[in-house]
Amino acid sequence: MSQASCDAFNQALCEFLARAVTPFHAVQAMSSLLQAAGFERLQEAHNWPLVAGGKYYLTRNDSSLVAFVMGSDAGPEQGMRMVGAHTDSPCLMVKPQPEKVRQGYYQLGVEVYGGVLLNPWFDRDLSLAGRVSYADAAGAMQSALVNFQRAVAFIPSLAIHLDREVNQHRSVNPQTDILPILTQLPGDDKPDFRALLAEQLRAEHDGIDVARVLDYELSFYDTQVAAPVGLAGEFIASARLDNLLSCFTGLQALLAADGRQSSLLVCNDHEEVGSLSTAGAQGPLLRSVLRRMVGGDETRYAGLTDGSMMISADNAHGIHPNFADKHDDNHGPKLNAGPVIKINANQRYATNSETAGLYRLLAAAEEVPVQAFVVRTDMACGSTIGPITAGGTGIRTLDIGVPTFGMHSIRELAGSRDAWDLSRVLRRFYNHVGPLFTG
Ligand SMILES: [Zn+2]
């Protein structure tokens, strides 16, 4: 495959990352790409007149998405080729009554969403985005997305002169140390965050009828956009690579697939907080879609689950040159050396020898290198939507991901080759003819 194709892929990935600043915006961006590619939007509460060769997608909570193709040559009970990822990333979210005025500065109280690496949030030019629910003039509740886009907030570090021990003993108290500053207030002005949101809604949505803002799910994000880094551009630096990189990679594979096999992409919200929600991987969304594909027929459903495979794509930890002893020395994935099969005997990853074996065959056919990760035996292992989806559906699952540095930082680093390589293997998986497993 040409360097030009890889560069175009990475450029589109960076554009997607810039748009997808929250799970809501990620789903909005994916929906518009699917719509442009001829996928038809379904509503969960409607009848679905699915036909062979049809391409469909649906969303739940505006923050999770399922896209699928009813294969023109092979139906769902002959085995779905499935890829899963998650739309959410650790971040700081605005509290329900967030206004604080201290020393004349208007700050917002924040909750920590997921396992945030807090230190990198200091000294960044932050913006704010998410979903706002409001009452219209008739008193009905409506929701709309907002994205301030410009840098509207900052969490300054404390100067080293005021904490000489900082490089030896830095710790961050999330209640007191990380309140972003929005502005300075003259005199005794009382800030009203909901009024600010109402103004923002009107600025972003022409003719919107906002009587008052009721509630919201808003998070801060770094305004520095994704960009190539390294002497030869070997790396991509961005926020939310975990796991929007995998959402985009799976989506591109699905869009590039030939549509002859039945295939699916699921991108769930709430993975970083355990997946138990209406839209999360522990919720009923995926099972409901799969059942409806076979018209609720139990025998056909058993055929589907037995013959299908899920590739759960979520980033892996590359071995860090400054901290190499954090990896088992035989299982230290390197950036730009290929996607990483993630294995854990205790089922924190869902990979088994069959799913890993099939992936290795697909990767070899695509001439993409394969790496393997298992956590050090004396360390605890992370997890993904892989085991949750496998447990919920009974479908054989593989955990894979591109190696990255700084997972859960506000700026993570990936190789510029690996996402493109993974996307090609996923496309080959979507196009795979015949039974995925024998016996
Ligand atoms: Zn993740």
Side-chain angles (χ1 to χ4, degrees):
M1 286 293 165
S2 74
Q3 187 60 40
S5 314
C6 178
D7 291 347
F9 179 93
N10 285 335
Q11 168 110 33
L13 169 62
C14 289
E15 285 162 14
F16 174 73
L17 289 162
R19 284 184 67 189
V21 293
T22 71
F24 304 113
H25 292 85
V27 163
Q28 187 181 57
M30 285 191 280
S31 297
S32 61
L33 291 169
L34 286 161
Q35 200 81 40
F39 279 68
E40 180 188 335
R41 184 172 190 140
L42 300 172
Q43 300 297 333
E44 284 198 78
H46 294 179
N47 271 323
W48 292 359
L50 305 178
V51 296
K55 299 175 173 191
Y56 310 95
Y57 76 99
L58 63 148
T59 68
R60 186 180 279 194
N61 186 47
D62 309 319
S63 65
S64 290
L65 176 143
V66 181
F68 62 94
V69 175
M70 299 295 278
S72 56
D73 291 5
E77 62 271 44
Q78 282 148 281
M80 296 294 299
R81 286 87 173 112
M82 300 164 51
V83 173
H86 64 89
T87 58
D88 60 319
S89 305
C91 62
L92 304 182
M93 296 190 74
V94 183
K95 286 182 174 175
Q97 287 159 215
E99 300 93 342
K100 305 236 183 196
V101 181
R102 302 190 298 187
Q103 309 300 326
Y105 296 95
Y106 174 11
Q107 296 175 276
L108 293 180
V110 287
E111 266 193 293
V112 175
Y113 176 84
V116 176
L117 201 51
L118 288 172
N119 270 313
W121 280 77
F122 289 90
D123 310 326
R124 293 277 171 173
D125 305 354
L126 301 176
S127 190
L128 189 59
R131 181 172 67 179
V132 179
S133 298
Y134 61 92
D136 64 19
M141 196 197 69
Q142 312 279 355
S143 294
L145 303 193
V146 295
N147 181 359
F148 282 75
Q149 292 190 321
R150 68 189 195 284
V152 293
F154 200 85
I155 311 169
S157 285
L158 181 65
I160 193 166
H161 315 75
L162 304 179
D163 183 6
R164 293 286 182 187
E165 307 279 279
V166 62
N167 289 329
Q168 284 75 48
H169 311 289
R170 174 86 190 258
S171 69
V172 181
N173 180 320
Q175 172 66 21
T176 57
D177 298 355
I178 54 165
L179 282 70
I181 296 174
L182 282 191
T183 186
Q184 286 181 296
L185 287 183
D188 291 335
D189 278 14
K190 273 251 177 285
D192 181 344
F193 185 60
R194 282 173 171 73
L196 175 70
L197 290 178
E199 244 175 72
Q200 183 66 23
L201 280 169
R202 291 184 194 108
E204 281 190 48
H205 303 276
D206 263 355
I208 194 170
D209 166 18
V210 183
R212 68 196 165 92
V213 167
L214 301 168
D215 266 297
Y216 50 78
E217 292 160 75
L218 295 168
S219 46
F220 285 98
Y221 69 90
D222 190 357
T223 54
Q224 185 179 7
V225 293
V229 172
L231 271 182
E234 300 93 336
F235 310 113
I236 295 172
S238 176
R240 302 178 301 282
L241 290 176
D242 174 16
N243 191 21
L244 294 179
L245 179 149
S246 305
C247 291
F248 181 79
T249 299
L251 181 62
Q252 291 305 311
L254 185 68
L255 295 178
D258 60 25
R260 292 169 58 195
Q261 311 301 312
S262 290
S263 41
L264 177 147
L265 172 73
V266 56
C267 296
N268 284 116
D269 195 3
H270 298 144
E271 189 273 346
E272 299 291 358
V273 294
S275 294
L276 185 56
S277 73
T278 53
Q282 281 205 62
L285 175 61
L286 177 62
R287 267 170 295 166
S288 151
V289 172
L290 295 176
R291 281 193 186 282
R292 294 182 72 168
M293 279 182 190
V294 291
D297 181 302
E298 280 305 315
T299 306
R300 289 180 69 205
Y301 186 68
L304 185 160
T305 55
D306 188 51
S308 298
M309 174 163 146
M310 161 70 88
I311 296 184
S312 159
D314 202 347
N315 299 341
H317 301 296
I319 186 166
H320 192 308
N322 301 348
F323 304 94
D325 63 350
K326 295 293 182 189
H327 277 72
D328 176 303
D329 50 12
N330 278 0
H331 300 92
K334 291 201 169 59
L335 273 56
N336 288 316
V340 182
I341 296 176
K342 300 192 278 185
I343 299 153
N344 180 256
N346 297 297
Q347 299 298 310
R348 301 284 293 164
Y349 301 131
T351 305
N352 68 21
S353 62
E354 290 184 317
T355 57
L358 181 58
Y359 179 86
R360 284 180 188 277
L361 288 177
L362 295 166
E366 202 62 44
E367 295 179 8
V368 166
V370 179
Q371 306 188 80
F373 173 77
V374 60
V375 76
R376 278 181 63 111
T377 313
D378 55 3
M379 282 173 64
C381 186
S383 194
T384 71
I385 64 163
I388 292 167
T389 308
T393 62
I395 290 172
R396 291 175 179 89
T397 298
L398 171 79
D399 269 297
I400 193 138
V402 308
T404 61
F405 291 140
M407 191 180 286
H408 293 190
S409 171
I410 198 167
R411 204 151 173 92
E412 304 169 327
L413 199 70
S416 58
R417 191 77 208 171
D418 295 321
W420 166 242
D421 276 352
L422 178 59
S423 188
R424 285 160 47 218
V425 181
L426 296 180
R427 183 187 56 192
R428 185 169 280 268
F429 168 63
Y430 279 138
N431 288 345
H432 185 77
V433 177
L436 293 167
F437 304 100
T438 49

